[in-house]
Amino acid sequence: MCGISGIWNRVQKPVDRSLLRDFTQVIAHRGPDDSGYYFDDDCGLGLGHRRLSIIDLSSAGHQPMASGDQKYWLVYNGEIYNYLELTAELVDLGYQFRSHSDTEMILAAYQAWGYACLDRFNGMFAFLLWDSSKQLLWAARDRFGVKPLYIWEQSPNFIAFASEIKQFTKLPNWKAQANPQRCYDFLAYGMLDHTSETMFKDVWQLRGGQYLTLNSDRQDADFGKLTVKQWYSLPSHQQDLSMPEAKQQLQNLLKDSVKLRLRADVTVGSCLSGGLDSTSIVCLSDQLRQESANNIPFQTFSSCFDDLRYDERQYIKDVIAQTQVHPNFIFPNASELFEELDHLTWQQDEPFGSTSIFAQWCVFRQAGQSGVKVMLDGQGADELLAGYTKFYAALFANLFRKWHWCKLVNELITCRRYQNATEIQRMIEPLLPIWVRQPLRRLLGYASETAVPSWLNGSYLQALGVAPQVSAKFALTTPTSIHQLSHLQITSTSVPMLLHWEDRNSMAHSVESRVPFLDYRLVEFAYSLDDTTKIRQGQTKAVLREAMRNIIPESIRTRQDKMGFVTPESQWIKHGLSDRFEIELQKAIASLGQWVQPDVLQKIFQATLDGNSGMQGVIWRVISFSRWLKVFDVKI
């Protein structure tokens, strides 16, 4: 697990050595164990690397790494979990290895299979591979974008590649300017990473499942051409399995995914929230530890609060009682939030949608301080297996569309066990045709689905070129099936954003995070399942609950409430930190200028203080966005 960088200078001037070192040093936290550089002065190319040693801790794993004939050079961030199996396959093909690292395996795999080697990799990765024989730079990102890769084209003559956006601040002619459309997406809906664009103008990223090529051959007519291709997409096929068949296959796939992600030459631990997803990972990890006769206790890390409404220790203790894990309890401190906010914002690269990111930050910080260098986490399960309440609406819409009236009525009735009437009403609304839904919303006093929120200055933003409908398409459109909503959340609206936060929070503390639910085999299997295996009799993630029967504590397997990395954000605003939040809000209003409507924001804040509004998310987004402007000196 590492950080990578690259600079290409079209006019063939040698890349400035000190510039590349400064550019790479910005991400020393991603790789505190080693660093290295490669320069091809004839082609104006420089590659940089910071290493966090996880597999093969020896100097043999040093990067940039070259093939035996030095035709190929690689800087790589990630883990290929099935590297042992692929290495054995390559040995059979005649390749020889000097190290025990997955990095060397990638070089051999490229020589053996070309771009198609990506299809064989089970892992998370972003890399830059220089093919000197073709004068070609190849950059690739894993299927779901677990590891990041950003690009800034300063001009057609100068292109930079980075693991984190903050690296670009070290380059000549860098000016941090806001991308109005993406900034609006965040402020209005809390969305980021749903497109290739970022909130920084002219900074973009490879999406999950994409690779790019940069032609550096001056004799070629396409010299300097940068081409992006989609190398992976979710398969469209669906299968009709019984619940017993589906649960057994899911259990097998998840266990094998966890087993692969326990491969490391350093200490491995896990986040543990007390929910279904992280508990499944922890219990399977403990089961695998016992099967391998490993006597080292598996460490877990949990975010806790004295306010019982936001605390999950009652469930975490059930996991501890059933396993032999060594627990670590972390209590995020409200006052520390603002003390850490500038540093946290710098590490995140972009503003973030809630203070729950701070809770996750505290967990990974404690893991790093405890000497745990690899952490497992449950990202992706909710999006794959219908864990959010919005999936109810998608299920109802699918049953309605297929005229499965009896099933629809049955699910509506059983859903009432777990959801209140207001939530059910919201779920039913999308079933109505838009020509009925829109007048109904106006009659009830709701804003139009595509209207600019009242606290934003719509006329000013539209003058900047912001199109509210673009964001509404991602944030408000209700897909007509769980299958369709899963696709949207995995590829655009949820998983990419969660992985962004996870990557920055973990790597800021030199910890590698691994996400077993995003093993592509498990994703493809779960994605192919019928909607009714995911929500059944009103229960979300039904197939996972069945797969984990007799593996996790029953109190968690049947648990219906959902928390995750929550914080008592509304309580912090209303009580202990109300004055601080108000000060921060006033600063934010001043810094955002014509973007916002100050009077409306003030009313929202007062309503939150009075306990009459669930809009505190708006308050936090404005504050976080303002801090981002300050920390990165962004011009809006």
Side-chain angles (χ1 to χ4, degrees):
M1 188 53 54
C2 311
I4 62 176
S5 59
I7 293 176
W8 180 72
N9 192 327
R10 179 188 176 98
V11 295
Q12 249 184 336
K13 292 179 181 178
V15 171
D16 186 310
R17 266 62 171 166
S18 63
L19 176 64
L20 183 63
R21 286 186 170 86
D22 289 346
F23 183 52
T24 307
Q25 184 62 24
V26 175
I27 50 168
H29 53 274
R30 294 186 75 93
D33 299 329
D34 191 18
S35 63
Y37 304 89
Y38 166 77
F39 297 92
D40 187 323
D41 290 342
D42 291 337
C43 293
L45 177 74
L47 302 177
H49 188 262
R50 293 291 317 198
R51 185 184 184 200
L52 177 65
S53 303
I54 300 295
I55 292 175
D56 190 346
L57 309 185
S58 74
S59 60
H62 175 81
Q63 295 185 47
M65 184 178 288
S67 59
D69 55 11
Q70 297 201 344
K71 286 183 179 179
Y72 313 105
W73 288 84
L74 175 70
V75 287
Y76 154 57
N77 166 30
E79 302 287 356
I80 308 299
Y81 303 117
N82 62 333
Y83 77 101
L84 292 176
E85 291 78 6
L86 292 175
T87 297
E89 191 174 344
L90 288 161
V91 167
D92 289 343
L93 292 176
Y95 290 89
Q96 297 180 341
F97 292 86
R98 304 181 303 274
S99 73
H100 301 288
S101 71
D102 53 340
T103 308
E104 189 176 8
M105 183 278 298
I106 293 176
L107 285 164
Y110 173 71
Q111 293 174 78
W113 303 307
Y115 298 157
C117 68
L118 296 174
D119 297 322
R120 298 170 181 259
F121 295 165
N122 184 349
M124 54 181 184
F125 52 86
F127 62 72
L128 302 173
L129 192 153
W130 173 241
D131 185 337
S132 64
S133 64
K134 296 180 180 178
Q135 301 287 282
L136 184 81
L137 182 67
W138 182 42
R141 196 174 180 197
D142 63 71
R143 292 171 177 82
F144 308 113
V146 182
K147 292 291 105 182
L149 185 59
Y150 294 97
I151 300 94
W152 180 47
E153 297 179 72
Q154 177 184 311
S155 71
N157 295 329
F158 189 95
I159 302 175
F161 304 86
S163 288
E164 297 183 8
I165 297 172
K166 63 182 69 65
Q167 294 172 249
F168 300 129
T169 65
K170 293 294 184 180
L171 298 181
N173 301 318
W174 167 260
K175 293 180 181 177
Q177 293 181 290
N179 177 344
Q181 182 67 58
R182 300 289 81 88
C183 291
Y184 171 80
D185 295 351
F186 173 77
L187 287 169
Y189 300 112
M191 294 174 59
L192 73 155
D193 284 319
H194 51 294
T195 76
S196 61
E197 295 181 4
T198 71
M199 287 190 223
F200 291 89
K201 183 182 179 183
D202 298 327
V203 174
W204 56 282
Q205 62 182 316
L206 277 185
R207 304 288 294 160
Q210 289 184 339
Y211 72 72
L212 67 79
T213 55
L214 176 61
N215 187 335
S216 296
D217 184 354
R218 286 183 168 272
Q219 307 306 314
D220 195 298
D222 287 331
F223 169 64
K225 183 178 181 181
L226 193 155
T227 304
V228 176
K229 292 187 177 181
Q230 191 75 33
W231 69 268
Y232 177 80
S233 298
L234 278 169
S236 58
H237 75 278
Q238 290 186 267
Q239 53 185 328
D240 185 17
L241 297 179
S242 67
M243 181 61 87
E245 292 173 322
K247 75 168 187 179
Q248 190 58 56
Q249 289 192 45
L250 181 65
Q251 182 189 113
N252 294 342
L253 284 168
L254 181 56
K255 186 172 182 179
D256 191 60
S257 175
V258 171
K259 183 178 181 179
L260 283 179
R261 281 156 184 80
L262 291 174
R263 284 180 173 175
D265 296 329
V266 295
T267 305
V268 181
S270 181
C271 298
L272 177 60
S273 70
L276 179 61
D277 309 332
S278 63
T279 298
S280 298
I281 290 170
V282 168
C283 289
L284 286 171
S285 297
D286 186 68
Q287 187 180 97
L288 288 162
R289 182 190 63 80
Q290 293 184 52
E291 290 174 2
S292 64
N294 183 347
N295 296 321
I296 301 174
F298 191 70
Q299 289 203 61
T300 61
F301 297 82
S302 306
S303 173
C304 307
F305 297 96
D306 292 328
D307 189 328
L308 296 180
R309 291 171 296 178
Y310 304 92
D311 189 74
E312 300 183 86
R313 274 174 290 173
Q314 61 174 317
Y315 297 106
I316 293 169
K317 288 175 180 177
D318 289 344
V319 179
I320 296 168
Q322 178 173 306
T323 63
Q324 298 178 30
V325 300
H326 177 75
N328 293 267
F329 298 108
I330 298 94
F331 291 82
N333 186 296
S335 60
E336 188 185 11
L337 167 64
F338 288 108
E339 295 171 9
E340 290 271 332
L341 188 52
D342 280 356
H343 185 203
L344 179 51
T345 301
W346 172 257
Q347 291 294 354
Q348 282 292 330
D349 281 332
E350 294 177 285
F352 47 94
S354 80
T355 58
S356 65
I357 308 309
F358 171 64
Q360 188 186 55
W361 166 273
C362 294
V363 166
F364 280 113
R365 179 177 60 190
Q366 183 60 51
Q369 292 172 353
S370 301
V372 176
K373 296 187 76 170
V374 173
M375 289 274 282
L376 308 187
D377 204 358
Q379 304 291 14
D382 288 315
E383 293 79 8
L384 272 176
L385 299 165
Y388 300 126
T389 55
K390 193 171 184 179
F391 279 100
Y392 284 109
L395 174 66
F396 298 158
N398 191 29
L399 295 175
F400 183 86
R401 181 171 54 90
K402 292 182 176 179
W403 292 21
H404 292 170
W405 307 115
C406 292
K407 284 186 179 180
L408 175 59
V409 171
N410 181 59
E411 287 296 340
L412 283 168
I413 292 171
T414 52
C415 174
R416 185 67 182 88
R417 300 176 194 164
Y418 310 112
Q419 303 293 328
N420 61 44
T422 302
E423 284 293 331
I424 294 175
Q425 181 181 342
R426 290 176 183 170
M427 297 169 196
I428 294 175
E429 184 185 329
L431 300 179
L432 302 173
I434 192 167
W435 56 270
V436 174
R437 190 164 71 240
Q438 294 285 38
L440 181 62
R441 291 181 69 86
R442 286 194 293 270
L443 181 65
L444 296 175
Y446 297 157
S448 166
E449 291 177 331
T450 57
V452 175
S454 61
W455 56 273
L456 286 167
N457 186 340
S459 59
Y460 179 75
L461 292 175
Q462 289 180 27
L464 292 178
V466 168
Q469 307 89 297
V470 174
S471 309
K473 177 183 176 182
F474 283 104
L476 298 173
T477 301
T478 300
T480 56
S481 68
I482 288 177
H483 187 76
Q484 190 180 12
L485 180 55
S486 280
H487 187 280
L488 183 66
Q489 292 195 344
I490 292 166
T491 61
S492 301
T493 60
S494 182
V495 166
M497 181 167 56
L498 293 171
L499 292 174
H500 176 126
W501 296 332
E502 178 111 6
D503 173 80
R504 302 309 191 280
N505 275 343
S506 59
M507 295 308 293
H509 301 104
S510 304
V511 173
E512 173 180 308
S513 177
R514 299 176 174 181
V515 281
F517 281 101
L518 290 180
D519 184 304
Y520 80 94
R521 302 167 302 165
L522 191 154
V523 171
E524 291 178 359
F525 172 74
Y527 181 65
S528 73
L529 293 176
D530 184 76
D531 285 6
T532 54
T533 64
K534 298 175 185 178
I535 296 181
R536 177 171 292 196
Q537 297 296 304
Q539 282 196 324
T540 59
K541 294 191 278 197
V543 64
L544 179 60
R545 294 178 193 276
E546 288 302 310
M548 292 297 104
R549 190 184 292 273
N550 300 321
I551 293 176
I552 68 174
E554 193 67 6
S555 61
I556 298 171
R557 194 187 72 82
T558 58
R559 183 183 174 188
Q560 295 300 318
D561 62 313
K562 184 173 182 58
M563 288 191 190
F565 276 111
V566 297
T567 61
E569 187 174 294
S570 60
Q571 300 305 308
W572 288 353
I573 294 177
K574 292 176 189 176
H575 302 298
L577 290 175
S578 59
D579 290 344
R580 183 62 185 271
F581 270 92
E582 184 165 18
I583 291 171
E584 293 291 337
L585 178 62
Q586 295 308 318
K587 289 180 182 177
I589 289 172
S591 66
L592 267 67
Q594 295 185 67
W595 279 61
V596 297
Q597 305 280 16
D599 292 344
V600 180
L601 273 175
Q602 196 61 50
K603 288 179 181 177
I604 291 173
F605 182 68
Q606 188 58 51
T608 303
L609 293 179
D610 296 340
N612 298 324
S613 171
M615 292 280 286
Q616 73 266 8
V618 169
I619 302 300
W620 177 257
R621 291 201 298 274
V622 171
I623 291 172
S624 180
F625 186 80
S626 173
R627 281 296 185 107
W628 171 70
L629 296 177
K630 168 180 170 274
V631 168
F632 285 91
D633 192 23
V634 181
K635 301 297 185 287
I636 63 168

